[in-house]
Amino acid sequence: QVPRPAFRLLSCPGTVAADVRSEEHLVAKPGSEDKAPKKRFSEVQKERREQAQRTVLIHCPSKISEKKFLKYLSQHGPINNHFFYESFGLYAVVEFCQKDSINSLKNETHTPCLDTEAVIPFKSRFFNLKLKHQSNRISEPLCTQSSSQSPPSSKKLFELLNYAESMDDQLNTLLKAFQLTEENIKLRYLTCSLIEDIAAAYFPSCVVWPFGSSVNSFGKLGCDLDMFLDLDEIEKCDVHKNVGNFLMEFQVKNVPSGRIATQKILSVIGECLDHFGPGCVGVQKILNARCPLVRFSHQASGFQCDLTTNNRIALKSSELLYIYGSLDSRVRALVFSLRFWARAHSLTSSIPGAWITNFSLTVMVIFFLQRRSPPILPTLDSLKSLADAEDRCVIEGSNCTFIQDLNKIKPSGNTETLELLLKEFFEYFGNFSFNKNSINIRQGKEQNKPDSSPLHIQNPFEPSLNISKNVSQSQLQKLVDLARESAWILQQEDRHQPSPSSKRPWGLTTLLIPTAGSKFLPKKKRKKPVSERVKSLLESIKDNSPESSTNTDGK
Ligand code: GTP
Ligand code: MG
């Protein structure tokens, strides 16, 4: 019953295993607290970026001798790590030990000549390998099976969940099957690095950082790749360089606002990606959005990319979520399952609209975990109080300071199971006074809502903003109804695995089946109308859960 890896390593187990060990804090082992020191977000980002800069992406012939391939590339220097994957063809990601090797490889590479079309001679780190002699074709197969980077199918997931031993095991199994793999993370950083090379044609010291779910520890296989084009790094380098009596400045063009500058920069980079970027297709410039962006597909990696600039607070939000996700192994398992639950019931969607986003849902989970007794997660204010001078961070007037070294944060003494937390989450938000209260992870307590938006979740770094402003009353109601129904199902359900070979969905699986688990419940329960079930749920909550009713300020 081992899941087929979503992103199959086609070869070289030795080298990758060694590398995975050094980065294992990112691919957490669910259910077991990792005692090894955890890296800071900025350390991870810098290390991964440096690694990506020594890496190339090669489109390979479908049948190729791995041994000969590596021997050929090793002419340019030692290889630290490599793997193959399939996505509309066979690709290799090859990480050299030294950056110089890439120049050597580039010097030996030529631009193709086409008979009927002309080429744009942009020399990137994305190559195409061709066989000169048929003898290089393999006699020994490189891979017996090819695979895509997509996550396991729903059928596979339900199989895995049914074979789990307990509900806690189910939540951890879901996390394990869908979290980003080491190779997928490498490919994400490599894709950013390739885009950085293109943007660097205009802004030589720019950095393209991944942010959002690719790096915040909550990413699932197949999630989009959010990129932040960082031009401030250039400014930072320039500070204090001028000595003596004079101050030298660059002559620059001025525009009326930061937003216009952002739009102009993204417009040009978008054109550049469209016209010169190997593998960048479907480029859309969405410059009038609240946060202007360029959206495109990176064909070789299969990632849907959103490139933004002037969006540093989002990068800081990703760091905050990374800290919360790394503090306690239950956090990611719970968030993954709830994101799945929300998606399964169409509470979230990949299309923007009046529904809740994964980001808002994650903040709701964090808030809920701050409200447990004892709390599982600290408030943002307490993370701020632990900060020292080097952690100080103010972005466009917003104080975004919090401790960056997560090893200095005291672990929680709370030992509640995932099963209990999931049930309590549904009860908590099934009864939350959304009409009166706002969710605030800075203080870890409800606050009076400052406006009439149906769902109010305070932006952690810009307190006057609501991150769920887009959510309509009917979508909120749907969330509340489903939370109540899920709490009810968990109360009614025999949450123990029926028998290892039974096909009957149980535990988490019942919650992930759209149109309610009721379809799968025993007939006598199925007949009960929803309104009646909700009523009985409310009654049972009132009767059974004094703690939750005091906590939740029930409706
Ligand atoms: P996925 O749905 O897996 O892509 O999750 P995600 O966390 O990557 O969300 P998304 O791609 O929508 O947004 C990327 C990042 O932008 C988030 O992680 C947040 O840091 C930030 N972000 C998204 N929406 C908001 C918002 O409404 N307000 C603020 N302040 N930041 C947001
Ligand atoms: Mg995203």
Side-chain angles (χ1 to χ4, degrees), residues 123-192:
K123 295 176 178 170
S124 73
R125 278 181 287 136
F126 180 18
F127 303 95
N128 198 19
L129 184 71
K130 290 192 162 171
L131 294 176
K132 267 203 216 157
H133 308 290
Q134 283 305 311
S135 64
N136 282 336
R137 278 190 178 274
I138 46 162
S139 41
E140 78 279 14
L142 169 73
C143 53
T144 46
Q145 251 184 321
S146 60
S147 124
S148 72
Q149 299 164 57
S150 30
S153 66
S154 318
K155 186 169 171 272
K156 192 84 214 168
L157 171 68
F158 286 170
E159 256 172 54
L160 283 169
L161 295 183
N162 257 16
Y163 273 89
E165 283 170 3
S166 61
M167 262 193 78
D168 279 46
D169 193 20
Q170 284 187 318
L171 270 80
N172 283 323
T173 299
L174 186 135
L175 171 61
K176 243 195 236 171
F178 284 85
Q179 68 186 350
L180 301 181
T181 59
E182 172 65 17
E183 294 76 36
N184 199 269
I185 294 172
K186 278 187 194 291
L187 192 55
R188 283 171 189 269
Y189 276 89
L190 173 58
T191 306
C192 287

Side-chain angles (χ1 to χ4, degrees), residues 413-440:
N414 181 308
T415 56
E416 288 170 314
T417 62
L418 283 169
E419 177 182 334
L420 179 78
L421 291 171
L422 187 65
K423 188 172 136 276
E424 295 274 313
F425 175 90
F426 291 134
E427 289 188 4
Y428 186 77
F429 284 113
N431 293 283
F432 190 85
S433 295
F434 287 107
N435 55 345
K436 243 180 39 208
N437 289 333
S438 159
I439 290 163
N440 179 326

Side-chain angles (χ1 to χ4, degrees), residues 211-214 223-226 306:
F211 73 100
S213 56
S214 297
C223 71
D224 69 353
L225 173 54
D226 302 294
D306 278 352

Side-chain angles (χ1 to χ4, degrees), residues 309-354:
T309 185
N310 198 7
N311 192 18
R312 192 172 289 281
I313 289 191
L315 194 66
K316 207 61 191 169
S317 308
S318 303
E319 177 173 2
L320 181 65
L321 260 51
Y322 166 83
I323 289 183
Y324 279 129
S326 310
L327 278 179
D328 187 295
S329 66
R330 287 168 292 184
V331 182
R332 294 175 65 228
L334 196 61
V335 168
F336 264 70
S337 292
L338 285 164
R339 282 185 173 205
F340 255 89
W341 168 81
R343 190 58 197 255
H345 296 284
S346 308
L347 286 171
T348 51
S349 162
S350 55
I351 308 160

Side-chain angles (χ1 to χ4, degrees), residues 47 105 110 118 126 147 175 226 246 267 393 449 482 498 548:
E47 273 176 28
L105 173 60
H110 69 273
F126 180 18
S147 124
L175 171 61
D226 302 294
F246 297 102
S267 174
C393 172
K449 244 177 28 176
L482 277 161
S548 74

